[in-house]
Amino acid sequence: MMEYTTQMDAAKKGIITKEMMIVANKESMDVEELRQLVAEGKVAIPANKNHKSLDPEGVGQGLRTKINVNLGISKDCASIEKEMDKVKKAIEMKAEAIMDLSNYGKTAEFRKELVEYSKAMIGTVPVYDAIGFYDKEIDEITAEEFLKVVEKHAEDGVDFVTIHAGLNRETINTFKRNERLTNIVSRGGSLLYAWMEINNAENPFYEHYDKLLDICEKYDLTLSLGDACRPGANTDSTDAVQIKELITLGELTKRAWERNVQVIVEGPGHMTLDEIKANVMLQKKLCHGAPFYVLGPLVTDVAPGYDHITSAIGGAIAAAAGVDFLCYVTPAEHLRLPNLEDMKEGIVAAKIAAHAGDLAKGIKGAREWDNAMSKARADLDWEEMFNLAIDSEKPRRYREESMPEHKDTCTMCGKMCAVRNMNKVMKGEAVDIFNNK
């Protein structure tokens, strides 16, 4: 059998991997069509060779919009047990990806437990871990040490890594010439910016990009090219800094594909509704059709405590316009580390946005799911409605908290229920609003 190094390498050689078979089956897509999309870079199947518990998913053109859940330990909230509770709930709620953003304490211990347990694909941002890994300030870490942290994460089995390689000296110069209200809001981007300025050096991930690709190729580690210059406020969106970095990410995408390394490109951020479609078009054009992964976008800046809603509004529009992967946002965004309940609300909001986008894109099976729910409503089949719901727990609880006198109604309309009465009329039965039967 012909050997291959990565999913993209296999696809280019005409090889259909077991991961491609699984994804094609999930997506009701012809596997040869999927193979071609992987070969072209328009679909990525993040599947590290060392992630043995993985149930593979595809991200990209023609596939269901996937969602990612961020979690991880921090200095102020360092409980591995609590984060693992979130992991288990996220997988139960069918999140396709989990990003471990741990930046303090026993990060390696948590990552090992996560990889062993999770059937969802796993992402990390290695630069977050570098300071704790070496126990020294950011400016004291060498370029070689940054790459060693990436290799450690790859060896541990993570499926994709966010690397802010587009924040090179050219991008920094553009940033300095173009004033922003919120400067750089990417955590990884701000750390690298500080390192570059203090050391008067080029971004190590840009300067040593080929060495980074060596690591990715070795483990079939998907490269998620991070947007260090994503807008942190609506007024900063689609500015020269953001677009300058995006152009560089497009160039880095082609270099990765030449090495058969799979790529996902990350995007904004905060932006108003009218700019979302244009941003998706720009990314797809400048990055040659690579899968697009966005945080939000958050369509207004004035709703702290409700940013899962501002994000879902933007995410639905983005997904409908062609975005492939949504990073969830919780009600705790900008405020604190999300707890379990925050995470659940964020997942549901992101899944609603993803599915709304899939309906607009005409993804196979999306309309059928909605039709099945509508049929259950027409039949007043409460149990089937709960089974089909994105989250069955909340609607079931709402129903049980306010039970009607008649089971074929709810406490909103009672026997005036339009569905109940139309069913009776269509069957030739009397509409008995006042008859207490």
PDB file of all heavy atoms in Angstrom, residues 370-399:
ATOM      1  N   ASP A 370     -34.854  20.258  10.230  1.00  0.00           N
ATOM      2  CA  ASP A 370     -35.905  21.234  10.521  1.00  0.00           C
ATOM      3  C   ASP A 370     -37.286  20.674  10.187  1.00  0.00           C
ATOM      4  O   ASP A 370     -38.255  20.875  10.934  1.00  0.00           O
ATOM      5  CB  ASP A 370     -35.660  22.516   9.735  1.00  0.00           C
ATOM      6  CG  ASP A 370     -34.719  23.463  10.464  1.00  0.00           C
ATOM      7  OD1 ASP A 370     -33.700  22.989  10.982  1.00  0.00           O
ATOM      8  OD2 ASP A 370     -35.017  24.665  10.524  1.00  0.00           O
ATOM      9  N   ASN A 371     -37.379  19.983   9.051  1.00  0.00           N
ATOM     10  CA  ASN A 371     -38.672  19.418   8.655  1.00  0.00           C
ATOM     11  C   ASN A 371     -39.169  18.382   9.663  1.00  0.00           C
ATOM     12  O   ASN A 371     -40.368  18.291   9.942  1.00  0.00           O
ATOM     13  CB  ASN A 371     -38.577  18.784   7.268  1.00  0.00           C
ATOM     14  CG  ASN A 371     -38.455  19.828   6.165  1.00  0.00           C
ATOM     15  OD1 ASN A 371     -38.670  21.020   6.405  1.00  0.00           O
ATOM     16  ND2 ASN A 371     -38.120  19.388   4.964  1.00  0.00           N
ATOM     17  N   ALA A 372     -38.238  17.601  10.207  1.00  0.00           N
ATOM     18  CA  ALA A 372     -38.620  16.595  11.208  1.00  0.00           C
ATOM     19  C   ALA A 372     -39.165  17.273  12.466  1.00  0.00           C
ATOM     20  O   ALA A 372     -40.144  16.817  13.062  1.00  0.00           O
ATOM     21  CB  ALA A 372     -37.425  15.707  11.543  1.00  0.00           C
ATOM     22  N   MET A 373     -38.526  18.384  12.869  1.00  0.00           N
ATOM     23  CA  MET A 373     -39.024  19.120  14.026  1.00  0.00           C
ATOM     24  C   MET A 373     -40.400  19.718  13.738  1.00  0.00           C
ATOM     25  O   MET A 373     -41.315  19.660  14.583  1.00  0.00           O
ATOM     26  CB  MET A 373     -38.046  20.230  14.407  1.00  0.00           C
ATOM     27  CG  MET A 373     -38.528  21.115  15.553  1.00  0.00           C
ATOM     28  SD  MET A 373     -38.756  20.231  17.119  1.00  0.00           S
ATOM     29  CE  MET A 373     -37.068  20.305  17.766  1.00  0.00           C
ATOM     30  N   SER A 374     -40.585  20.271  12.559  1.00  0.00           N
ATOM     31  CA  SER A 374     -41.878  20.846  12.196  1.00  0.00           C
ATOM     32  C   SER A 374     -42.970  19.789  12.183  1.00  0.00           C
ATOM     33  O   SER A 374     -44.106  20.041  12.603  1.00  0.00           O
ATOM     34  CB  SER A 374     -41.781  21.527  10.828  1.00  0.00           C
ATOM     35  OG  SER A 374     -40.877  22.614  10.877  1.00  0.00           O
ATOM     36  N   LYS A 375     -42.629  18.598  11.702  1.00  0.00           N
ATOM     37  CA  LYS A 375     -43.600  17.488  11.700  1.00  0.00           C
ATOM     38  C   LYS A 375     -43.987  17.115  13.127  1.00  0.00           C
ATOM     39  O   LYS A 375     -45.172  16.879  13.431  1.00  0.00           O
ATOM     40  CB  LYS A 375     -42.984  16.280  10.984  1.00  0.00           C
ATOM     41  CG  LYS A 375     -43.878  15.029  10.949  1.00  0.00           C
ATOM     42  CD  LYS A 375     -45.112  15.242  10.096  1.00  0.00           C
ATOM     43  CE  LYS A 375     -45.813  13.931   9.757  1.00  0.00           C
ATOM     44  NZ  LYS A 375     -46.236  13.156  10.928  1.00  0.00           N
ATOM     45  N   ALA A 376     -42.993  17.067  14.024  1.00  0.00           N
ATOM     46  CA  ALA A 376     -43.287  16.740  15.424  1.00  0.00           C
ATOM     47  C   ALA A 376     -44.180  17.806  16.045  1.00  0.00           C
ATOM     48  O   ALA A 376     -45.095  17.493  16.818  1.00  0.00           O
ATOM     49  CB  ALA A 376     -41.982  16.606  16.206  1.00  0.00           C
ATOM     50  N   ARG A 377     -43.960  19.070  15.699  1.00  0.00           N
ATOM     51  CA  ARG A 377     -44.812  20.142  16.221  1.00  0.00           C
ATOM     52  C   ARG A 377     -46.232  20.028  15.663  1.00  0.00           C
ATOM     53  O   ARG A 377     -47.210  20.216  16.384  1.00  0.00           O
ATOM     54  CB  ARG A 377     -44.210  21.502  15.866  1.00  0.00           C
ATOM     55  CG  ARG A 377     -43.019  21.866  16.733  1.00  0.00           C
ATOM     56  CD  ARG A 377     -42.423  23.196  16.361  1.00  0.00           C
ATOM     57  NE  ARG A 377     -41.404  23.597  17.328  1.00  0.00           N
ATOM     58  CZ  ARG A 377     -40.349  24.332  17.051  1.00  0.00           C
ATOM     59  NH1 ARG A 377     -40.157  24.760  15.802  1.00  0.00           N
ATOM     60  NH2 ARG A 377     -39.472  24.655  17.979  1.00  0.00           N
ATOM     61  N   ALA A 378     -46.321  19.723  14.368  1.00  0.00           N
ATOM     62  CA  ALA A 378     -47.645  19.572  13.764  1.00  0.00           C
ATOM     63  C   ALA A 378     -48.415  18.417  14.411  1.00  0.00           C
ATOM     64  O   ALA A 378     -49.638  18.471  14.542  1.00  0.00           O
ATOM     65  CB  ALA A 378     -47.508  19.338  12.264  1.00  0.00           C
ATOM     66  N   ASP A 379     -47.668  17.400  14.833  1.00  0.00           N
ATOM     67  CA  ASP A 379     -48.290  16.232  15.471  1.00  0.00           C
ATOM     68  C   ASP A 379     -48.449  16.411  16.975  1.00  0.00           C
ATOM     69  O   ASP A 379     -48.983  15.515  17.649  1.00  0.00           O
ATOM     70  CB  ASP A 379     -47.443  14.975  15.220  1.00  0.00           C
ATOM     71  CG  ASP A 379     -47.424  14.567  13.759  1.00  0.00           C
ATOM     72  OD1 ASP A 379     -48.327  15.007  13.006  1.00  0.00           O
ATOM     73  OD2 ASP A 379     -46.505  13.824  13.361  1.00  0.00           O
ATOM     74  N   LEU A 380     -47.991  17.545  17.503  1.00  0.00           N
ATOM     75  CA  LEU A 380     -47.975  17.783  18.954  1.00  0.00           C
ATOM     76  C   LEU A 380     -47.287  16.630  19.690  1.00  0.00           C
ATOM     77  O   LEU A 380     -47.716  16.195  20.760  1.00  0.00           O
ATOM     78  CB  LEU A 380     -49.400  18.005  19.478  1.00  0.00           C
ATOM     79  CG  LEU A 380     -50.100  19.264  18.953  1.00  0.00           C
ATOM     80  CD1 LEU A 380     -51.570  19.291  19.352  1.00  0.00           C
ATOM     81  CD2 LEU A 380     -49.392  20.526  19.447  1.00  0.00           C
ATOM     82  N   ASP A 381     -46.198  16.163  19.095  1.00  0.00           N
ATOM     83  CA  ASP A 381     -45.422  15.053  19.656  1.00  0.00           C
ATOM     84  C   ASP A 381     -44.278  15.643  20.474  1.00  0.00           C
ATOM     85  O   ASP A 381     -43.177  15.874  19.979  1.00  0.00           O
ATOM     86  CB  ASP A 381     -44.887  14.178  18.518  1.00  0.00           C
ATOM     87  CG  ASP A 381     -44.198  12.925  19.010  1.00  0.00           C
ATOM     88  OD1 ASP A 381     -43.838  12.872  20.208  1.00  0.00           O
ATOM     89  OD2 ASP A 381     -44.006  12.000  18.204  1.00  0.00           O
ATOM     90  N   TRP A 382     -44.550  15.911  21.735  1.00  0.00           N
ATOM     91  CA  TRP A 382     -43.600  16.606  22.589  1.00  0.00           C
ATOM     92  C   TRP A 382     -42.290  15.835  22.733  1.00  0.00           C
ATOM     93  O   TRP A 382     -41.209  16.422  22.675  1.00  0.00           O
ATOM     94  CB  TRP A 382     -44.218  16.873  23.964  1.00  0.00           C
ATOM     95  CG  TRP A 382     -45.495  17.625  23.856  1.00  0.00           C
ATOM     96  CD1 TRP A 382     -46.747  17.106  23.941  1.00  0.00           C
ATOM     97  CD2 TRP A 382     -45.650  19.019  23.590  1.00  0.00           C
ATOM     98  NE1 TRP A 382     -47.690  18.100  23.753  1.00  0.00           N
ATOM     99  CE2 TRP A 382     -47.036  19.283  23.539  1.00  0.00           C
ATOM    100  CE3 TRP A 382     -44.763  20.073  23.397  1.00  0.00           C
ATOM    101  CZ2 TRP A 382     -47.544  20.546  23.304  1.00  0.00           C
ATOM    102  CZ3 TRP A 382     -45.268  21.330  23.178  1.00  0.00           C
ATOM    103  CH2 TRP A 382     -46.649  21.562  23.121  1.00  0.00           C
ATOM    104  N   GLU A 383     -42.367  14.535  22.927  1.00  0.00           N
ATOM    105  CA  GLU A 383     -41.160  13.733  23.139  1.00  0.00           C
ATOM    106  C   GLU A 383     -40.252  13.784  21.912  1.00  0.00           C
ATOM    107  O   GLU A 383     -39.031  13.886  22.029  1.00  0.00           O
ATOM    108  CB  GLU A 383     -41.538  12.286  23.464  1.00  0.00           C
ATOM    109  CG  GLU A 383     -40.394  11.450  24.015  1.00  0.00           C
ATOM    110  CD  GLU A 383     -39.819  12.004  25.319  1.00  0.00           C
ATOM    111  OE1 GLU A 383     -40.599  12.574  26.125  1.00  0.00           O
ATOM    112  OE2 GLU A 383     -38.594  11.888  25.499  1.00  0.00           O
ATOM    113  N   GLU A 384     -40.841  13.725  20.717  1.00  0.00           N
ATOM    114  CA  GLU A 384     -40.044  13.798  19.506  1.00  0.00           C
ATOM    115  C   GLU A 384     -39.415  15.187  19.348  1.00  0.00           C
ATOM    116  O   GLU A 384     -38.272  15.311  18.892  1.00  0.00           O
ATOM    117  CB  GLU A 384     -40.909  13.468  18.288  1.00  0.00           C
ATOM    118  CG  GLU A 384     -40.178  13.462  16.950  1.00  0.00           C
ATOM    119  CD  GLU A 384     -39.120  12.372  16.823  1.00  0.00           C
ATOM    120  OE1 GLU A 384     -38.950  11.568  17.777  1.00  0.00           O
ATOM    121  OE2 GLU A 384     -38.458  12.337  15.778  1.00  0.00           O
ATOM    122  N   MET A 385     -40.144  16.224  19.753  1.00  0.00           N
ATOM    123  CA  MET A 385     -39.564  17.574  19.718  1.00  0.00           C
ATOM    124  C   MET A 385     -38.324  17.654  20.598  1.00  0.00           C
ATOM    125  O   MET A 385     -37.291  18.205  20.197  1.00  0.00           O
ATOM    126  CB  MET A 385     -40.594  18.608  20.195  1.00  0.00           C
ATOM    127  CG  MET A 385     -41.765  18.846  19.275  1.00  0.00           C
ATOM    128  SD  MET A 385     -42.812  20.155  19.979  1.00  0.00           S
ATOM    129  CE  MET A 385     -44.436  19.438  19.775  1.00  0.00           C
ATOM    130  N   PHE A 386     -38.419  17.099  21.806  1.00  0.00           N
ATOM    131  CA  PHE A 386     -37.276  17.125  22.717  1.00  0.00           C
ATOM    132  C   PHE A 386     -36.105  16.344  22.123  1.00  0.00           C
ATOM    133  O   PHE A 386     -34.953  16.765  22.208  1.00  0.00           O
ATOM    134  CB  PHE A 386     -37.653  16.538  24.077  1.00  0.00           C
ATOM    135  CG  PHE A 386     -38.802  17.236  24.761  1.00  0.00           C
ATOM    136  CD1 PHE A 386     -39.666  16.536  25.592  1.00  0.00           C
ATOM    137  CD2 PHE A 386     -39.029  18.594  24.578  1.00  0.00           C
ATOM    138  CE1 PHE A 386     -40.725  17.166  26.231  1.00  0.00           C
ATOM    139  CE2 PHE A 386     -40.081  19.235  25.204  1.00  0.00           C
ATOM    140  CZ  PHE A 386     -40.937  18.525  26.032  1.00  0.00           C
ATOM    141  N   ASN A 387     -36.385  15.211  21.521  1.00  0.00           N
ATOM    142  CA  ASN A 387     -35.329  14.373  20.950  1.00  0.00           C
ATOM    143  C   ASN A 387     -34.615  15.063  19.788  1.00  0.00           C
ATOM    144  O   ASN A 387     -33.426  14.853  19.566  1.00  0.00           O
ATOM    145  CB  ASN A 387     -35.904  13.041  20.471  1.00  0.00           C
ATOM    146  CG  ASN A 387     -36.346  12.149  21.610  1.00  0.00           C
ATOM    147  OD1 ASN A 387     -35.871  12.290  22.740  1.00  0.00           O
ATOM    148  ND2 ASN A 387     -37.269  11.244  21.343  1.00  0.00           N
ATOM    149  N   LEU A 388     -35.339  15.876  19.041  1.00  0.00           N
ATOM    150  CA  LEU A 388     -34.768  16.545  17.870  1.00  0.00           C
ATOM    151  C   LEU A 388     -34.094  17.871  18.201  1.00  0.00           C
ATOM    152  O   LEU A 388     -33.346  18.414  17.392  1.00  0.00           O
ATOM    153  CB  LEU A 388     -35.872  16.797  16.834  1.00  0.00           C
ATOM    154  CG  LEU A 388     -36.393  15.563  16.099  1.00  0.00           C
ATOM    155  CD1 LEU A 388     -37.704  15.894  15.381  1.00  0.00           C
ATOM    156  CD2 LEU A 388     -35.355  15.058  15.099  1.00  0.00           C
ATOM    157  N   ALA A 389     -34.348  18.392  19.398  1.00  0.00           N
ATOM    158  CA  ALA A 389     -33.846  19.719  19.757  1.00  0.00           C
ATOM    159  C   ALA A 389     -32.319  19.751  19.875  1.00  0.00           C
ATOM    160  O   ALA A 389     -31.699  18.761  20.269  1.00  0.00           O
ATOM    161  CB  ALA A 389     -34.473  20.160  21.070  1.00  0.00           C
ATOM    162  N   ILE A 390     -31.716  20.871  19.545  1.00  0.00           N
ATOM    163  CA  ILE A 390     -30.277  21.061  19.744  1.00  0.00           C
ATOM    164  C   ILE A 390     -29.919  20.784  21.190  1.00  0.00           C
ATOM    165  O   ILE A 390     -28.912  20.139  21.486  1.00  0.00           O
ATOM    166  CB  ILE A 390     -29.863  22.490  19.335  1.00  0.00           C
ATOM    167  CG1 ILE A 390     -29.787  22.589  17.799  1.00  0.00           C
ATOM    168  CG2 ILE A 390     -28.526  22.885  19.947  1.00  0.00           C
ATOM    169  CD1 ILE A 390     -29.452  23.969  17.277  1.00  0.00           C
ATOM    170  N   ASP A 391     -30.753  21.255  22.118  1.00  0.00           N
ATOM    171  CA  ASP A 391     -30.599  20.971  23.546  1.00  0.00           C
ATOM    172  C   ASP A 391     -31.937  20.455  24.049  1.00  0.00           C
ATOM    173  O   ASP A 391     -32.921  21.194  24.062  1.00  0.00           O
ATOM    174  CB  ASP A 391     -30.193  22.243  24.302  1.00  0.00           C
ATOM    175  CG  ASP A 391     -30.277  22.077  25.811  1.00  0.00           C
ATOM    176  OD1 ASP A 391     -29.976  20.973  26.297  1.00  0.00           O
ATOM    177  OD2 ASP A 391     -30.645  23.055  26.500  1.00  0.00           O
ATOM    178  N   SER A 392     -32.015  19.203  24.421  1.00  0.00           N
ATOM    179  CA  SER A 392     -33.293  18.623  24.855  1.00  0.00           C
ATOM    180  C   SER A 392     -33.619  18.963  26.304  1.00  0.00           C
ATOM    181  O   SER A 392     -34.789  18.959  26.704  1.00  0.00           O
ATOM    182  CB  SER A 392     -33.261  17.102  24.687  1.00  0.00           C
ATOM    183  OG  SER A 392     -32.259  16.532  25.513  1.00  0.00           O
ATOM    184  N   GLU A 393     -32.603  19.286  27.086  1.00  0.00           N
ATOM    185  CA  GLU A 393     -32.793  19.485  28.528  1.00  0.00           C
ATOM    186  C   GLU A 393     -33.690  20.681  28.846  1.00  0.00           C
ATOM    187  O   GLU A 393     -34.641  20.578  29.624  1.00  0.00           O
ATOM    188  CB  GLU A 393     -31.412  19.669  29.174  1.00  0.00           C
ATOM    189  CG  GLU A 393     -31.437  19.817  30.670  1.00  0.00           C
ATOM    190  CD  GLU A 393     -30.024  20.005  31.229  1.00  0.00           C
ATOM    191  OE1 GLU A 393     -29.162  19.143  30.955  1.00  0.00           O
ATOM    192  OE2 GLU A 393     -29.795  21.011  31.926  1.00  0.00           O
ATOM    193  N   LYS A 394     -33.427  21.827  28.232  1.00  0.00           N
ATOM    194  CA  LYS A 394     -34.168  23.041  28.564  1.00  0.00           C
ATOM    195  C   LYS A 394     -35.627  22.982  28.117  1.00  0.00           C
ATOM    196  O   LYS A 394     -36.527  23.303  28.915  1.00  0.00           O
ATOM    197  CB  LYS A 394     -33.467  24.260  27.961  1.00  0.00           C
ATOM    198  CG  LYS A 394     -34.039  25.594  28.409  1.00  0.00           C
ATOM    199  CD  LYS A 394     -33.173  26.746  27.923  1.00  0.00           C
ATOM    200  CE  LYS A 394     -33.646  28.080  28.449  1.00  0.00           C
ATOM    201  NZ  LYS A 394     -32.766  29.197  27.998  1.00  0.00           N
ATOM    202  N   PRO A 395     -35.940  22.588  26.872  1.00  0.00           N
ATOM    203  CA  PRO A 395     -37.352  22.525  26.499  1.00  0.00           C
ATOM    204  C   PRO A 395     -38.143  21.507  27.326  1.00  0.00           C
ATOM    205  O   PRO A 395     -39.313  21.745  27.646  1.00  0.00           O
ATOM    206  CB  PRO A 395     -37.315  22.136  25.019  1.00  0.00           C
ATOM    207  CG  PRO A 395     -35.961  21.610  24.764  1.00  0.00           C
ATOM    208  CD  PRO A 395     -35.062  22.301  25.728  1.00  0.00           C
ATOM    209  N   ARG A 396     -37.511  20.396  27.668  1.00  0.00           N
ATOM    210  CA  ARG A 396     -38.190  19.405  28.513  1.00  0.00           C
ATOM    211  C   ARG A 396     -38.501  19.998  29.882  1.00  0.00           C
ATOM    212  O   ARG A 396     -39.599  19.823  30.425  1.00  0.00           O
ATOM    213  CB  ARG A 396     -37.319  18.157  28.650  1.00  0.00           C
ATOM    214  CG  ARG A 396     -38.020  16.991  29.342  1.00  0.00           C
ATOM    215  CD  ARG A 396     -37.073  15.827  29.552  1.00  0.00           C
ATOM    216  NE  ARG A 396     -36.557  15.301  28.295  1.00  0.00           N
ATOM    217  CZ  ARG A 396     -37.207  14.427  27.540  1.00  0.00           C
ATOM    218  NH1 ARG A 396     -38.412  13.993  27.917  1.00  0.00           N
ATOM    219  NH2 ARG A 396     -36.674  13.978  26.424  1.00  0.00           N
ATOM    220  N   ARG A 397     -37.529  20.719  30.446  1.00  0.00           N
ATOM    221  CA  ARG A 397     -37.728  21.339  31.758  1.00  0.00           C
ATOM    222  C   ARG A 397     -38.834  22.393  31.697  1.00  0.00           C
ATOM    223  O   ARG A 397     -39.676  22.468  32.601  1.00  0.00           O
ATOM    224  CB  ARG A 397     -36.419  21.952  32.245  1.00  0.00           C
ATOM    225  CG  ARG A 397     -36.547  22.775  33.523  1.00  0.00           C
ATOM    226  CD  ARG A 397     -35.197  23.063  34.143  1.00  0.00           C
ATOM    227  NE  ARG A 397     -34.273  23.681  33.208  1.00  0.00           N
ATOM    228  CZ  ARG A 397     -34.225  24.991  32.954  1.00  0.00           C
ATOM    229  NH1 ARG A 397     -35.088  25.810  33.549  1.00  0.00           N
ATOM    230  NH2 ARG A 397     -33.340  25.472  32.109  1.00  0.00           N
ATOM    231  N   TYR A 398     -38.842  23.221  30.637  1.00  0.00           N
ATOM    232  CA  TYR A 398     -39.879  24.237  30.501  1.00  0.00           C
ATOM    233  C   TYR A 398     -41.270  23.612  30.455  1.00  0.00           C
ATOM    234  O   TYR A 398     -42.215  24.099  31.072  1.00  0.00           O
ATOM    235  CB  TYR A 398     -39.641  25.055  29.227  1.00  0.00           C
ATOM    236  CG  TYR A 398     -38.681  26.206  29.393  1.00  0.00           C
ATOM    237  CD1 TYR A 398     -37.743  26.216  30.414  1.00  0.00           C
ATOM    238  CD2 TYR A 398     -38.725  27.285  28.529  1.00  0.00           C
ATOM    239  CE1 TYR A 398     -36.864  27.272  30.559  1.00  0.00           C
ATOM    240  CE2 TYR A 398     -37.849  28.352  28.666  1.00  0.00           C
ATOM    241  CZ  TYR A 398     -36.917  28.340  29.688  1.00  0.00           C
ATOM    242  OH  TYR A 398     -36.056  29.387  29.828  1.00  0.00           O
ATOM    243  N   ARG A 399     -41.379  22.525  29.709  1.00  0.00           N
ATOM    244  CA  ARG A 399     -42.669  21.837  29.599  1.00  0.00           C
ATOM    245  C   ARG A 399     -43.118  21.301  30.958  1.00  0.00           C
ATOM    246  O   ARG A 399     -44.273  21.468  31.360  1.00  0.00           O
ATOM    247  CB  ARG A 399     -42.532  20.699  28.585  1.00  0.00           C
ATOM    248  CG  ARG A 399     -43.734  19.761  28.466  1.00  0.00           C
ATOM    249  CD  ARG A 399     -44.851  20.365  27.682  1.00  0.00           C
ATOM    250  NE  ARG A 399     -45.943  19.411  27.469  1.00  0.00           N
ATOM    251  CZ  ARG A 399     -47.127  19.731  27.002  1.00  0.00           C
ATOM    252  NH1 ARG A 399     -47.388  20.990  26.680  1.00  0.00           N
ATOM    253  NH2 ARG A 399     -48.068  18.821  26.823  1.00  0.00           N
TER     254      ARG A 399
END
